[in-house]
Amino acid sequence: YAVSTQEELDFITKFAIETGIVLDPVYSGKALHHFITHELDEHPDLYENSNILFWHTGGSLGNYDKIDALSSTLKTSSPVKRLDVYGYEKNNIFEFS
């Protein structure tokens, strides 16, 4: 179950950039991704004029296990430019500090 698709990882990365809310790639991230991309798209009339409560259950530590997959999305979708002051990218070393 902890295996994430690239689509799910892209979703949680973009969601974090746009909202400031970090979802985990196993529970909350998968659940919200499915709800928005499937449930709302397939049954919009069920949610029209409704309040929706999504309960974020935490689990953001699960992002550490997915850092390689998440970093590729961050490099292409984040408006933030990371300064390579230590030359990691130049030397093909990608480290988070």
Side-chain angles (χ1 to χ4, degrees):
Y1 184 75
V3 176
S4 301
T5 66
Q6 191 60 49
E7 182 182 355
E8 292 167 339
L9 295 173
D10 291 347
F11 173 83
I12 65 169
T13 302
K14 290 177 183 173
F15 188 83
I17 290 168
E18 293 176 10
T19 66
I21 300 170
V22 177
L23 301 170
D24 70 282
V26 179
Y27 298 106
S28 294
K30 282 181 181 282
L32 190 60
H33 174 262
H34 178 79
F35 181 73
I36 289 177
T37 61
H38 296 304
E39 195 63 29
L40 286 179
D41 287 346
E42 294 172 13
H43 310 286
D45 51 315
L46 292 176
Y47 303 99
E48 191 173 327
N49 297 317
S50 297
N51 292 321
I52 299 170
L53 173 66
F54 181 80
W55 196 298
H56 187 319
T57 58
S60 60
L61 292 177
N63 289 324
Y64 289 106
D65 188 43
K66 310 278 187 205
I67 197 68
D68 292 332
L70 291 168
S71 64
S72 64
T73 302
L74 279 172
K75 285 182 179 181
T76 59
S77 63
S78 175
V80 176
K81 176 75 173 150
R82 186 181 170 109
L83 297 176
D84 187 23
V85 295
Y86 298 109
Y88 291 139
E89 289 188 29
K90 184 175 100 178
N91 298 316
N92 294 324
I93 301 170
F94 195 82
E95 295 185 10
F96 288 93
S97 52

mmCIF file of all heavy atoms in Angstrom, residues 7-58:
data_model
loop_
_atom_site.group_PDB
_atom_site.id
_atom_site.type_symbol
_atom_site.label_atom_id
_atom_site.label_comp_id
_atom_site.label_asym_id
_atom_site.label_seq_id
_atom_site.Cartn_x
_atom_site.Cartn_y
_atom_site.Cartn_z
ATOM 1 N N GLU A 7 1.826 10.137 -10.262
ATOM 2 C CA GLU A 7 0.687 11.065 -10.276
ATOM 3 C C GLU A 7 0.321 11.489 -8.851
ATOM 4 O O GLU A 7 0.054 12.661 -8.592
ATOM 5 C CB GLU A 7 -0.514 10.412 -10.957
ATOM 6 C CG GLU A 7 -1.717 11.299 -11.055
ATOM 7 C CD GLU A 7 -2.925 10.603 -11.686
ATOM 8 O OE1 GLU A 7 -2.805 9.455 -12.133
ATOM 9 O OE2 GLU A 7 -3.993 11.233 -11.710
ATOM 10 N N GLU A 8 0.315 10.534 -7.919
ATOM 11 C CA GLU A 8 0.018 10.860 -6.521
ATOM 12 C C GLU A 8 1.096 11.753 -5.917
ATOM 13 O O GLU A 8 0.783 12.725 -5.216
ATOM 14 C CB GLU A 8 -0.115 9.573 -5.694
ATOM 15 C CG GLU A 8 -1.324 8.754 -6.040
ATOM 16 C CD GLU A 8 -1.284 7.352 -5.461
ATOM 17 O OE1 GLU A 8 -0.185 6.858 -5.117
ATOM 18 O OE2 GLU A 8 -2.360 6.744 -5.368
ATOM 19 N N LEU A 9 2.350 11.451 -6.196
ATOM 20 C CA LEU A 9 3.451 12.265 -5.670
ATOM 21 C C LEU A 9 3.418 13.669 -6.256
ATOM 22 O O LEU A 9 3.656 14.653 -5.545
ATOM 23 C CB LEU A 9 4.791 11.594 -5.957
ATOM 24 C CG LEU A 9 5.015 10.254 -5.245
ATOM 25 C CD1 LEU A 9 6.301 9.606 -5.726
ATOM 26 C CD2 LEU A 9 5.025 10.424 -3.742
ATOM 27 N N ASP A 10 3.113 13.788 -7.538
ATOM 28 C CA ASP A 10 2.976 15.110 -8.159
ATOM 29 C C ASP A 10 1.846 15.891 -7.501
ATOM 30 O O ASP A 10 1.975 17.081 -7.235
ATOM 31 C CB ASP A 10 2.707 14.986 -9.655
ATOM 32 C CG ASP A 10 3.897 14.459 -10.429
ATOM 33 O OD1 ASP A 10 5.013 14.420 -9.872
ATOM 34 O OD2 ASP A 10 3.707 14.088 -11.600
ATOM 35 N N PHE A 11 0.739 15.202 -7.224
ATOM 36 C CA PHE A 11 -0.410 15.842 -6.585
ATOM 37 C C PHE A 11 -0.048 16.386 -5.208
ATOM 38 O O PHE A 11 -0.327 17.554 -4.911
ATOM 39 C CB PHE A 11 -1.582 14.856 -6.464
ATOM 40 C CG PHE A 11 -2.733 15.392 -5.675
ATOM 41 C CD1 PHE A 11 -3.679 16.206 -6.274
ATOM 42 C CD2 PHE A 11 -2.868 15.094 -4.332
ATOM 43 C CE1 PHE A 11 -4.735 16.716 -5.538
ATOM 44 C CE2 PHE A 11 -3.919 15.599 -3.585
ATOM 45 C CZ PHE A 11 -4.861 16.414 -4.196
ATOM 46 N N ILE A 12 0.573 15.558 -4.355
ATOM 47 C CA ILE A 12 0.860 16.039 -2.999
ATOM 48 C C ILE A 12 1.914 17.146 -3.011
ATOM 49 O O ILE A 12 1.877 18.039 -2.175
ATOM 50 C CB ILE A 12 1.234 14.910 -2.017
ATOM 51 C CG1 ILE A 12 2.531 14.231 -2.389
ATOM 52 C CG2 ILE A 12 0.127 13.892 -1.894
ATOM 53 C CD1 ILE A 12 3.060 13.297 -1.312
ATOM 54 N N THR A 13 2.838 17.098 -3.961
ATOM 55 C CA THR A 13 3.837 18.160 -4.072
ATOM 56 C C THR A 13 3.188 19.471 -4.478
ATOM 57 O O THR A 13 3.422 20.514 -3.862
ATOM 58 C CB THR A 13 4.923 17.771 -5.090
ATOM 59 O OG1 THR A 13 5.537 16.546 -4.674
ATOM 60 C CG2 THR A 13 5.983 18.843 -5.191
ATOM 61 N N LYS A 14 2.373 19.432 -5.510
ATOM 62 C CA LYS A 14 1.698 20.658 -5.969
ATOM 63 C C LYS A 14 0.711 21.164 -4.928
ATOM 64 O O LYS A 14 0.564 22.376 -4.743
ATOM 65 C CB LYS A 14 1.019 20.397 -7.309
ATOM 66 C CG LYS A 14 2.038 20.215 -8.412
ATOM 67 C CD LYS A 14 1.400 19.886 -9.738
ATOM 68 C CE LYS A 14 2.500 19.654 -10.764
ATOM 69 N NZ LYS A 14 1.986 19.180 -12.033
ATOM 70 N N PHE A 15 0.049 20.257 -4.227
ATOM 71 C CA PHE A 15 -0.878 20.656 -3.167
ATOM 72 C C PHE A 15 -0.122 21.399 -2.060
ATOM 73 O O PHE A 15 -0.593 22.428 -1.562
ATOM 74 C CB PHE A 15 -1.587 19.419 -2.599
ATOM 75 C CG PHE A 15 -2.697 19.741 -1.647
ATOM 76 C CD1 PHE A 15 -3.958 20.068 -2.112
ATOM 77 C CD2 PHE A 15 -2.484 19.716 -0.277
ATOM 78 C CE1 PHE A 15 -4.988 20.364 -1.230
ATOM 79 C CE2 PHE A 15 -3.499 20.012 0.612
ATOM 80 C CZ PHE A 15 -4.763 20.339 0.135
ATOM 81 N N ALA A 16 1.057 20.901 -1.705
ATOM 82 C CA ALA A 16 1.870 21.562 -0.671
ATOM 83 C C ALA A 16 2.322 22.941 -1.124
ATOM 84 O O ALA A 16 2.292 23.902 -0.347
ATOM 85 C CB ALA A 16 3.074 20.694 -0.316
ATOM 86 N N ILE A 17 2.724 23.057 -2.382
ATOM 87 C CA ILE A 17 3.178 24.347 -2.906
ATOM 88 C C ILE A 17 2.032 25.352 -2.926
ATOM 89 O O ILE A 17 2.201 26.511 -2.540
ATOM 90 C CB ILE A 17 3.778 24.175 -4.315
ATOM 91 C CG1 ILE A 17 5.099 23.417 -4.222
ATOM 92 C CG2 ILE A 17 3.986 25.523 -4.999
ATOM 93 C CD1 ILE A 17 5.634 22.938 -5.556
ATOM 94 N N GLU A 18 0.859 24.914 -3.359
ATOM 95 C CA GLU A 18 -0.275 25.826 -3.513
ATOM 96 C C GLU A 18 -0.986 26.163 -2.213
ATOM 97 O O GLU A 18 -1.552 27.241 -2.084
ATOM 98 C CB GLU A 18 -1.270 25.232 -4.508
ATOM 99 C CG GLU A 18 -0.710 25.167 -5.919
ATOM 100 C CD GLU A 18 -1.648 24.498 -6.906
ATOM 101 O OE1 GLU A 18 -2.819 24.238 -6.555
ATOM 102 O OE2 GLU A 18 -1.206 24.230 -8.035
ATOM 103 N N THR A 19 -0.974 25.245 -1.239
ATOM 104 C CA THR A 19 -1.745 25.478 -0.016
ATOM 105 C C THR A 19 -0.891 25.636 1.237
ATOM 106 O O THR A 19 -1.379 26.130 2.247
ATOM 107 C CB THR A 19 -2.730 24.318 0.238
ATOM 108 O OG1 THR A 19 -1.980 23.129 0.524
ATOM 109 C CG2 THR A 19 -3.650 24.099 -0.939
ATOM 110 N N GLY A 20 0.355 25.162 1.194
ATOM 111 C CA GLY A 20 1.188 25.162 2.395
ATOM 112 C C GLY A 20 0.895 23.996 3.315
ATOM 113 O O GLY A 20 1.440 23.902 4.405
ATOM 114 N N ILE A 21 0.045 23.077 2.875
ATOM 115 C CA ILE A 21 -0.311 21.901 3.673
ATOM 116 C C ILE A 21 0.412 20.696 3.093
ATOM 117 O O ILE A 21 0.236 20.351 1.928
ATOM 118 C CB ILE A 21 -1.833 21.654 3.664
ATOM 119 C CG1 ILE A 21 -2.560 22.864 4.245
ATOM 120 C CG2 ILE A 21 -2.182 20.380 4.427
ATOM 121 C CD1 ILE A 21 -4.061 22.832 4.061
ATOM 122 N N VAL A 22 1.223 20.054 3.931
ATOM 123 C CA VAL A 22 1.990 18.895 3.485
ATOM 124 C C VAL A 22 1.206 17.626 3.803
ATOM 125 O O VAL A 22 0.838 17.386 4.946
ATOM 126 C CB VAL A 22 3.372 18.850 4.171
ATOM 127 C CG1 VAL A 22 4.150 17.610 3.757
ATOM 128 C CG2 VAL A 22 4.153 20.125 3.870
ATOM 129 N N LEU A 23 0.942 16.854 2.765
ATOM 130 C CA LEU A 23 0.250 15.577 2.921
ATOM 131 C C LEU A 23 1.271 14.447 2.869
ATOM 132 O O LEU A 23 2.304 14.572 2.228
ATOM 133 C CB LEU A 23 -0.753 15.376 1.780
ATOM 134 C CG LEU A 23 -1.837 16.423 1.630
ATOM 135 C CD1 LEU A 23 -2.587 16.221 0.314
ATOM 136 C CD2 LEU A 23 -2.798 16.361 2.801
ATOM 137 N N ASP A 24 0.961 13.351 3.518
ATOM 138 C CA ASP A 24 1.852 12.199 3.430
ATOM 139 C C ASP A 24 1.509 11.393 2.175
ATOM 140 O O ASP A 24 0.390 11.475 1.666
ATOM 141 C CB ASP A 24 1.723 11.319 4.675
ATOM 142 C CG ASP A 24 0.398 10.594 4.719
ATOM 143 O OD1 ASP A 24 -0.612 11.228 5.070
ATOM 144 O OD2 ASP A 24 0.368 9.396 4.373
ATOM 145 N N PRO A 25 2.468 10.627 1.651
ATOM 146 C CA PRO A 25 2.231 9.895 0.414
ATOM 147 C C PRO A 25 1.518 8.561 0.585
ATOM 148 O O PRO A 25 1.308 7.850 -0.393
ATOM 149 C CB PRO A 25 3.654 9.668 -0.120
ATOM 150 C CG PRO A 25 4.494 9.619 1.090
ATOM 151 C CD PRO A 25 3.867 10.580 2.064
ATOM 152 N N VAL A 26 1.129 8.212 1.801
ATOM 153 C CA VAL A 26 0.505 6.914 2.015
ATOM 154 C C VAL A 26 -0.979 7.041 2.350
ATOM 155 O O VAL A 26 -1.816 6.442 1.679
ATOM 156 C CB VAL A 26 1.238 6.117 3.122
ATOM 157 C CG1 VAL A 26 0.564 4.775 3.362
ATOM 158 C CG2 VAL A 26 2.694 5.912 2.742
ATOM 159 N N TYR A 27 -1.330 7.826 3.342
ATOM 160 C CA TYR A 27 -2.730 7.872 3.764
ATOM 161 C C TYR A 27 -3.442 9.140 3.291
ATOM 162 O O TYR A 27 -4.259 9.094 2.384
ATOM 163 C CB TYR A 27 -2.835 7.716 5.287
ATOM 164 C CG TYR A 27 -2.311 6.386 5.759
ATOM 165 C CD1 TYR A 27 -1.099 6.292 6.418
ATOM 166 C CD2 TYR A 27 -3.022 5.213 5.512
ATOM 167 C CE1 TYR A 27 -0.609 5.061 6.827
ATOM 168 C CE2 TYR A 27 -2.545 3.982 5.916
ATOM 169 C CZ TYR A 27 -1.332 3.918 6.573
ATOM 170 O OH TYR A 27 -0.850 2.704 6.974
ATOM 171 N N SER A 28 -3.138 10.267 3.909
ATOM 172 C CA SER A 28 -3.854 11.504 3.571
ATOM 173 C C SER A 28 -3.654 11.899 2.117
ATOM 174 O O SER A 28 -4.594 12.323 1.444
ATOM 175 C CB SER A 28 -3.400 12.650 4.475
ATOM 176 O OG SER A 28 -3.775 12.397 5.801
ATOM 177 N N GLY A 29 -2.439 11.766 1.618
ATOM 178 C CA GLY A 29 -2.163 12.138 0.230
ATOM 179 C C GLY A 29 -2.935 11.289 -0.759
ATOM 180 O O GLY A 29 -3.531 11.793 -1.713
ATOM 181 N N LYS A 30 -2.939 9.975 -0.556
ATOM 182 C CA LYS A 30 -3.679 9.075 -1.444
ATOM 183 C C LYS A 30 -5.187 9.343 -1.348
ATOM 184 O O LYS A 30 -5.885 9.354 -2.354
ATOM 185 C CB LYS A 30 -3.414 7.613 -1.087
ATOM 186 C CG LYS A 30 -2.092 7.088 -1.588
ATOM 187 C CD LYS A 30 -1.952 5.620 -1.190
ATOM 188 C CE LYS A 30 -0.646 5.045 -1.626
ATOM 189 N NZ LYS A 30 -0.595 4.699 -3.032
ATOM 190 N N ALA A 31 -5.678 9.541 -0.134
ATOM 191 C CA ALA A 31 -7.105 9.750 0.057
ATOM 192 C C ALA A 31 -7.577 11.043 -0.608
ATOM 193 O O ALA A 31 -8.590 11.052 -1.320
ATOM 194 C CB ALA A 31 -7.443 9.774 1.553
ATOM 195 N N LEU A 32 -6.861 12.141 -0.393
ATOM 196 C CA LEU A 32 -7.273 13.407 -0.987
ATOM 197 C C LEU A 32 -7.095 13.380 -2.503
ATOM 198 O O LEU A 32 -7.939 13.908 -3.235
ATOM 199 C CB LEU A 32 -6.512 14.580 -0.379
ATOM 200 C CG LEU A 32 -7.037 15.957 -0.770
ATOM 201 C CD1 LEU A 32 -8.489 16.131 -0.336
ATOM 202 C CD2 LEU A 32 -6.183 17.045 -0.158
ATOM 203 N N HIS A 33 -6.029 12.768 -2.975
ATOM 204 C CA HIS A 33 -5.827 12.629 -4.424
ATOM 205 C C HIS A 33 -7.004 11.889 -5.052
ATOM 206 O O HIS A 33 -7.563 12.330 -6.057
ATOM 207 C CB HIS A 33 -4.521 11.883 -4.708
ATOM 208 C CG HIS A 33 -4.322 11.579 -6.151
ATOM 209 N ND1 HIS A 33 -4.628 10.359 -6.687
ATOM 210 C CD2 HIS A 33 -3.878 12.346 -7.170
ATOM 211 C CE1 HIS A 33 -4.364 10.378 -7.983
ATOM 212 N NE2 HIS A 33 -3.916 11.576 -8.296
ATOM 213 N N HIS A 34 -7.386 10.775 -4.471
ATOM 214 C CA HIS A 34 -8.512 10.008 -5.007
ATOM 215 C C HIS A 34 -9.811 10.815 -4.935
ATOM 216 O O HIS A 34 -10.591 10.830 -5.888
ATOM 217 C CB HIS A 34 -8.680 8.683 -4.267
ATOM 218 C CG HIS A 34 -9.841 7.887 -4.757
ATOM 219 N ND1 HIS A 34 -9.777 7.133 -5.909
ATOM 220 C CD2 HIS A 34 -11.095 7.764 -4.285
ATOM 221 C CE1 HIS A 34 -10.959 6.565 -6.115
ATOM 222 N NE2 HIS A 34 -11.766 6.937 -5.136
ATOM 223 N N PHE A 35 -10.028 11.469 -3.814
ATOM 224 C CA PHE A 35 -11.265 12.230 -3.659
ATOM 225 C C PHE A 35 -11.384 13.332 -4.715
ATOM 226 O O PHE A 35 -12.423 13.491 -5.353
ATOM 227 C CB PHE A 35 -11.351 12.837 -2.256
ATOM 228 C CG PHE A 35 -12.612 13.612 -2.026
ATOM 229 C CD1 PHE A 35 -13.816 12.954 -1.863
ATOM 230 C CD2 PHE A 35 -12.596 14.991 -2.008
ATOM 231 C CE1 PHE A 35 -14.985 13.665 -1.678
ATOM 232 C CE2 PHE A 35 -13.758 15.712 -1.818
ATOM 233 C CZ PHE A 35 -14.963 15.040 -1.651
ATOM 234 N N ILE A 36 -10.318 14.077 -4.913
ATOM 235 C CA ILE A 36 -10.370 15.198 -5.855
ATOM 236 C C ILE A 36 -10.363 14.728 -7.302
ATOM 237 O O ILE A 36 -11.130 15.220 -8.129
ATOM 238 C CB ILE A 36 -9.211 16.184 -5.580
ATOM 239 C CG1 ILE A 36 -9.487 16.912 -4.269
ATOM 240 C CG2 ILE A 36 -9.041 17.163 -6.736
ATOM 241 C CD1 ILE A 36 -8.408 17.855 -3.830
ATOM 242 N N THR A 37 -9.511 13.757 -7.630
ATOM 243 C CA THR A 37 -9.384 13.361 -9.036
ATOM 244 C C THR A 37 -10.416 12.344 -9.491
ATOM 245 O O THR A 37 -10.627 12.203 -10.698
ATOM 246 C CB THR A 37 -7.979 12.796 -9.333
ATOM 247 O OG1 THR A 37 -7.761 11.633 -8.528
ATOM 248 C CG2 THR A 37 -6.914 13.833 -9.067
ATOM 249 N N HIS A 38 -11.049 11.644 -8.576
ATOM 250 C CA HIS A 38 -12.046 10.649 -8.970
ATOM 251 C C HIS A 38 -13.446 11.011 -8.471
ATOM 252 O O HIS A 38 -14.363 11.179 -9.258
ATOM 253 C CB HIS A 38 -11.670 9.256 -8.467
ATOM 254 C CG HIS A 38 -10.400 8.740 -9.072
ATOM 255 N ND1 HIS A 38 -10.199 8.630 -10.424
ATOM 256 C CD2 HIS A 38 -9.259 8.315 -8.499
ATOM 257 C CE1 HIS A 38 -8.997 8.150 -10.666
ATOM 258 N NE2 HIS A 38 -8.400 7.963 -9.510
ATOM 259 N N GLU A 39 -13.562 11.117 -7.178
ATOM 260 C CA GLU A 39 -14.888 11.318 -6.579
ATOM 261 C C GLU A 39 -15.532 12.629 -7.027
ATOM 262 O O GLU A 39 -16.679 12.637 -7.467
ATOM 263 C CB GLU A 39 -14.767 11.255 -5.057
ATOM 264 C CG GLU A 39 -16.070 11.095 -4.331
ATOM 265 C CD GLU A 39 -16.800 9.807 -4.649
ATOM 266 O OE1 GLU A 39 -16.167 8.790 -4.968
ATOM 267 O OE2 GLU A 39 -18.041 9.829 -4.566
ATOM 268 N N LEU A 40 -14.817 13.739 -6.912
ATOM 269 C CA LEU A 40 -15.398 15.025 -7.318
ATOM 270 C C LEU A 40 -15.628 15.102 -8.821
ATOM 271 O O LEU A 40 -16.611 15.692 -9.274
ATOM 272 C CB LEU A 40 -14.510 16.182 -6.875
ATOM 273 C CG LEU A 40 -14.530 16.517 -5.393
ATOM 274 C CD1 LEU A 40 -13.584 17.671 -5.095
ATOM 275 C CD2 LEU A 40 -15.922 16.845 -4.908
ATOM 276 N N ASP A 41 -14.729 14.513 -9.601
ATOM 277 C CA ASP A 41 -14.889 14.522 -11.053
ATOM 278 C C ASP A 41 -16.048 13.654 -11.521
ATOM 279 O O ASP A 41 -16.768 14.010 -12.443
ATOM 280 C CB ASP A 41 -13.604 14.054 -11.750
ATOM 281 C CG ASP A 41 -12.499 15.083 -11.700
ATOM 282 O OD1 ASP A 41 -12.788 16.257 -11.362
ATOM 283 O OD2 ASP A 41 -11.350 14.724 -11.990
ATOM 284 N N GLU A 42 -16.228 12.489 -10.883
ATOM 285 C CA GLU A 42 -17.250 11.540 -11.321
ATOM 286 C C GLU A 42 -18.638 11.829 -10.749
ATOM 287 O O GLU A 42 -19.640 11.465 -11.360
ATOM 288 C CB GLU A 42 -16.821 10.119 -10.954
ATOM 289 C CG GLU A 42 -15.583 9.668 -11.716
ATOM 290 C CD GLU A 42 -15.027 8.346 -11.217
ATOM 291 O OE1 GLU A 42 -15.730 7.655 -10.453
ATOM 292 O OE2 GLU A 42 -13.889 8.023 -11.590
ATOM 293 N N HIS A 43 -18.701 12.459 -9.583
ATOM 294 C CA HIS A 43 -19.991 12.707 -8.921
ATOM 295 C C HIS A 43 -20.093 14.137 -8.394
ATOM 296 O O HIS A 43 -20.356 14.344 -7.204
ATOM 297 C CB HIS A 43 -20.185 11.731 -7.764
ATOM 298 C CG HIS A 43 -19.955 10.308 -8.111
ATOM 299 N ND1 HIS A 43 -20.844 9.574 -8.864
ATOM 300 C CD2 HIS A 43 -18.924 9.483 -7.834
ATOM 301 C CE1 HIS A 43 -20.379 8.357 -9.027
ATOM 302 N NE2 HIS A 43 -19.205 8.275 -8.415
ATOM 303 N N PRO A 44 -19.902 15.137 -9.227
ATOM 304 C CA PRO A 44 -19.903 16.519 -8.722
ATOM 305 C C PRO A 44 -21.244 16.932 -8.120
ATOM 306 O O PRO A 44 -21.279 17.732 -7.185
ATOM 307 C CB PRO A 44 -19.577 17.354 -9.957
ATOM 308 C CG PRO A 44 -19.944 16.494 -11.106
ATOM 309 C CD PRO A 44 -19.735 15.079 -10.667
ATOM 310 N N ASP A 45 -22.340 16.370 -8.604
ATOM 311 C CA ASP A 45 -23.656 16.732 -8.087
ATOM 312 C C ASP A 45 -23.855 16.307 -6.636
ATOM 313 O O ASP A 45 -24.630 16.925 -5.906
ATOM 314 C CB ASP A 45 -24.762 16.132 -8.963
ATOM 315 C CG ASP A 45 -24.587 14.640 -9.198
ATOM 316 O OD1 ASP A 45 -23.448 14.218 -9.487
ATOM 317 O OD2 ASP A 45 -25.587 13.901 -9.089
ATOM 318 N N LEU A 46 -23.143 15.279 -6.195
ATOM 319 C CA LEU A 46 -23.270 14.840 -4.799
ATOM 320 C C LEU A 46 -22.691 15.857 -3.820
ATOM 321 O O LEU A 46 -23.068 15.881 -2.654
ATOM 322 C CB LEU A 46 -22.545 13.503 -4.589
ATOM 323 C CG LEU A 46 -23.144 12.276 -5.265
ATOM 324 C CD1 LEU A 46 -22.255 11.065 -5.033
ATOM 325 C CD2 LEU A 46 -24.539 12.017 -4.738
ATOM 326 N N TYR A 47 -21.786 16.704 -4.295
ATOM 327 C CA TYR A 47 -21.086 17.625 -3.410
ATOM 328 C C TYR A 47 -21.434 19.091 -3.665
ATOM 329 O O TYR A 47 -20.909 19.970 -2.998
ATOM 330 C CB TYR A 47 -19.568 17.422 -3.550
ATOM 331 C CG TYR A 47 -19.186 15.990 -3.267
ATOM 332 C CD1 TYR A 47 -18.973 15.088 -4.301
ATOM 333 C CD2 TYR A 47 -19.091 15.535 -1.968
ATOM 334 C CE1 TYR A 47 -18.651 13.768 -4.039
ATOM 335 C CE2 TYR A 47 -18.764 14.218 -1.693
ATOM 336 C CZ TYR A 47 -18.556 13.339 -2.735
ATOM 337 O OH TYR A 47 -18.241 12.036 -2.470
ATOM 338 N N GLU A 48 -22.321 19.313 -4.603
ATOM 339 C CA GLU A 48 -22.714 20.683 -4.933
ATOM 340 C C GLU A 48 -23.390 21.342 -3.740
ATOM 341 O O GLU A 48 -24.229 20.745 -3.064
ATOM 342 C CB GLU A 48 -23.674 20.664 -6.131
ATOM 343 C CG GLU A 48 -23.924 22.028 -6.702
ATOM 344 C CD GLU A 48 -24.729 21.953 -7.986
ATOM 345 O OE1 GLU A 48 -24.579 20.977 -8.730
ATOM 346 O OE2 GLU A 48 -25.513 22.882 -8.210
ATOM 347 N N ASN A 49 -23.005 22.566 -3.454
ATOM 348 C CA ASN A 49 -23.543 23.351 -2.326
ATOM 349 C C ASN A 49 -23.355 22.641 -0.991
ATOM 350 O O ASN A 49 -24.202 22.725 -0.113
ATOM 351 C CB ASN A 49 -25.027 23.681 -2.548
ATOM 352 C CG ASN A 49 -25.222 24.544 -3.758
ATOM 353 O OD1 ASN A 49 -24.473 25.492 -3.986
ATOM 354 N ND2 ASN A 49 -26.216 24.219 -4.574
ATOM 355 N N SER A 50 -22.248 21.913 -0.857
ATOM 356 C CA SER A 50 -21.972 21.179 0.377
ATOM 357 C C SER A 50 -20.656 21.646 0.979
ATOM 358 O O SER A 50 -19.765 22.116 0.279
ATOM 359 C CB SER A 50 -21.847 19.674 0.093
ATOM 360 O OG SER A 50 -23.041 19.147 -0.389
ATOM 361 N N ASN A 51 -20.549 21.496 2.266
ATOM 362 C CA ASN A 51 -19.280 21.679 2.951
ATOM 363 C C ASN A 51 -18.608 20.320 3.039
ATOM 364 O O ASN A 51 -19.253 19.330 3.373
ATOM 365 C CB ASN A 51 -19.483 22.233 4.365
ATOM 366 C CG ASN A 51 -20.003 23.646 4.335
ATOM 367 O OD1 ASN A 51 -19.588 24.446 3.512
ATOM 368 N ND2 ASN A 51 -20.923 23.948 5.235
ATOM 369 N N ILE A 52 -17.329 20.285 2.744
ATOM 370 C CA ILE A 52 -16.585 19.030 2.785
ATOM 371 C C ILE A 52 -15.512 19.159 3.848
ATOM 372 O O ILE A 52 -14.713 20.102 3.835
ATOM 373 C CB ILE A 52 -15.949 18.719 1.414
ATOM 374 C CG1 ILE A 52 -17.035 18.587 0.360
ATOM 375 C CG2 ILE A 52 -15.088 17.474 1.496
ATOM 376 C CD1 ILE A 52 -16.511 18.529 -1.051
ATOM 377 N N LEU A 53 -15.475 18.223 4.761
ATOM 378 C CA LEU A 53 -14.443 18.181 5.788
ATOM 379 C C LEU A 53 -13.486 17.051 5.445
ATOM 380 O O LEU A 53 -13.895 15.902 5.326
ATOM 381 C CB LEU A 53 -15.062 17.929 7.171
ATOM 382 C CG LEU A 53 -14.067 17.687 8.311
ATOM 383 C CD1 LEU A 53 -13.240 18.936 8.582
ATOM 384 C CD2 LEU A 53 -14.795 17.247 9.557
ATOM 385 N N PHE A 54 -12.228 17.388 5.239
ATOM 386 C CA PHE A 54 -11.203 16.373 5.021
ATOM 387 C C PHE A 54 -10.322 16.348 6.250
ATOM 388 O O PHE A 54 -9.729 17.359 6.623
ATOM 389 C CB PHE A 54 -10.368 16.691 3.769
ATOM 390 C CG PHE A 54 -9.311 15.655 3.511
ATOM 391 C CD1 PHE A 54 -9.632 14.460 2.910
ATOM 392 C CD2 PHE A 54 -8.000 15.874 3.907
ATOM 393 C CE1 PHE A 54 -8.672 13.485 2.697
ATOM 394 C CE2 PHE A 54 -7.028 14.914 3.699
ATOM 395 C CZ PHE A 54 -7.363 13.717 3.089
ATOM 396 N N TRP A 55 -10.217 15.211 6.866
ATOM 397 C CA TRP A 55 -9.460 15.069 8.094
ATOM 398 C C TRP A 55 -8.041 14.622 7.759
ATOM 399 O O TRP A 55 -7.812 13.490 7.340
ATOM 400 C CB TRP A 55 -10.118 14.025 8.988
ATOM 401 C CG TRP A 55 -9.670 14.041 10.406
ATOM 402 C CD1 TRP A 55 -8.416 13.819 10.878
ATOM 403 C CD2 TRP A 55 -10.477 14.293 11.537
ATOM 404 N NE1 TRP A 55 -8.385 13.905 12.236
ATOM 405 C CE2 TRP A 55 -9.652 14.194 12.672
ATOM 406 C CE3 TRP A 55 -11.821 14.581 11.721
ATOM 407 C CZ2 TRP A 55 -10.128 14.370 13.948
ATOM 408 C CZ3 TRP A 55 -12.292 14.751 12.999
ATOM 409 C CH2 TRP A 55 -11.442 14.664 14.095
ATOM 410 N N HIS A 56 -7.088 15.530 7.941
ATOM 411 C CA HIS A 56 -5.673 15.243 7.683
ATOM 412 C C HIS A 56 -5.143 14.464 8.880
ATOM 413 O O HIS A 56 -5.107 14.969 9.990
ATOM 414 C CB HIS A 56 -4.924 16.557 7.512
ATOM 415 C CG HIS A 56 -3.501 16.415 7.087
ATOM 416 N ND1 HIS A 56 -2.640 15.466 7.572
ATOM 417 C CD2 HIS A 56 -2.779 17.128 6.202
ATOM 418 C CE1 HIS A 56 -1.460 15.594 7.016
ATOM 419 N NE2 HIS A 56 -1.517 16.609 6.170
ATOM 420 N N THR A 57 -4.730 13.229 8.647
ATOM 421 C CA THR A 57 -4.340 12.360 9.758
ATOM 422 C C THR A 57 -2.852 12.395 10.072
ATOM 423 O O THR A 57 -2.368 11.613 10.870
ATOM 424 C CB THR A 57 -4.737 10.903 9.456
ATOM 425 O OG1 THR A 57 -4.108 10.490 8.238
ATOM 426 C CG2 THR A 57 -6.245 10.782 9.326
ATOM 427 N N GLY A 58 -2.126 13.295 9.432
ATOM 428 C CA GLY A 58 -0.693 13.391 9.713
ATOM 429 C C GLY A 58 0.098 12.442 8.841
ATOM 430 O O GLY A 58 -0.282 12.155 7.721
#
